[in-house]
Amino acid sequence: MLIPPDVKKEIARLRGEFTEIFVIAEVPRWEPKQAGTLRPDGKLLAVGYDGLNYWLIASFTPVTLEEYIRAQSSSRAQ
């Protein structure tokens, strides 16, 4: 799963405003000993930390690699 291009642009635009930026996801079941990649269930949050407070940058649904490539191809064709 990937971060949609518009959300990536917003994160890049605000990067200088925060000391750290996090992507937060809820997963259906957490098993720390299990190897592999956890799949988020539902929306993800991009959150910035300015040293004092946490700020919501975006709430988004991740896209698959195929969706990302399709979106990039269609935007270049225009």
Side-chain angles (χ1 to χ4, degrees), residues 11-65:
I11 290 170
R13 184 179 75 78
L14 295 170
R15 184 174 296 156
E17 302 289 323
F18 300 108
T19 57
E20 297 184 69
I21 294 178
F22 305 94
V23 174
I24 302 170
E26 184 174 353
V27 292
R29 195 170 80 203
W30 178 258
E31 294 182 29
K33 294 181 182 180
Q34 179 182 357
T37 303
L38 296 172
R39 301 277 184 234
D41 187 21
K43 291 209 177 263
L44 280 71
L45 304 175
V47 175
Y49 178 66
D50 65 5
L52 183 61
N53 294 302
Y54 292 88
W55 299 89
L56 179 64
I57 297 171
S59 172
F60 63 94
T61 302
V63 296
T64 64
L65 181 58

